[in-house]
Amino acid sequence: MESVIIVIHLLVVAALVVVVLLQRSEGGALGIGGGGGGGGGGFLTGRGAANLLTRTTAILAACFFATSLILTILARVSDKPSDVLDNVPAQTETQSGEGQPAAGGNGILDELQQRSQSGPQVPTSQ
């Protein structure tokens, strides 16, 4: 379901970009009817083109917001954990306030410290 909504969202985005680029700008950049007139038979002339492109932009913008909201709701409802920090186990601290983890911690630094205190492990000869 989510992948279908994403595809629809991408199609709406592409159409919205095209429609916005087709609109006439004050600089005459990519607008339709750049030279005035043309042989369109009045289909996309001045006011008609502006009304059609404005309505199309509004409809595509509404579809864009709708698909964005739907994707947000689907992502929130999914069974995945909502935050990476929710998966991190909390470590207890000592009462001294130094911020050192309590003895018997599971961290890599605790293991290295225990190994360095016990000395190197040398096999004995038999």
Side-chain angles (χ1 to χ4, degrees), residues 9 11 26-27 29 44 52 56 60-61 67 78-79 84 90 97 106 115 120:
H9 186 72
L11 291 174
E26 290 187 21
L44 288 176
L52 176 68
T56 306
L60 288 173
T67 55
S78 67
D79 295 332
V84 175
N106 298 4
R115 288 183 184 182

Side-chain angles (χ1 to χ4, degrees), residues 12-76:
V12 167
V13 167
L16 189 61
V17 167
V18 168
V19 169
V20 167
L21 287 177
L22 285 176
Q23 290 182 5
R24 186 180 192 128
S25 64
E26 290 187 21
L30 290 176
I32 297 175
F43 175 61
L44 288 176
T45 60
R47 182 173 287 172
N51 288 338
L52 176 68
L53 291 175
T54 302
R55 287 184 187 142
T56 306
T57 303
I59 292 169
L60 288 173
C63 292
F64 174 77
F65 282 113
T67 55
S68 296
L69 287 174
I70 292 169
L71 285 171
T72 302
I73 292 168
L74 286 176
R76 189 71 178 155

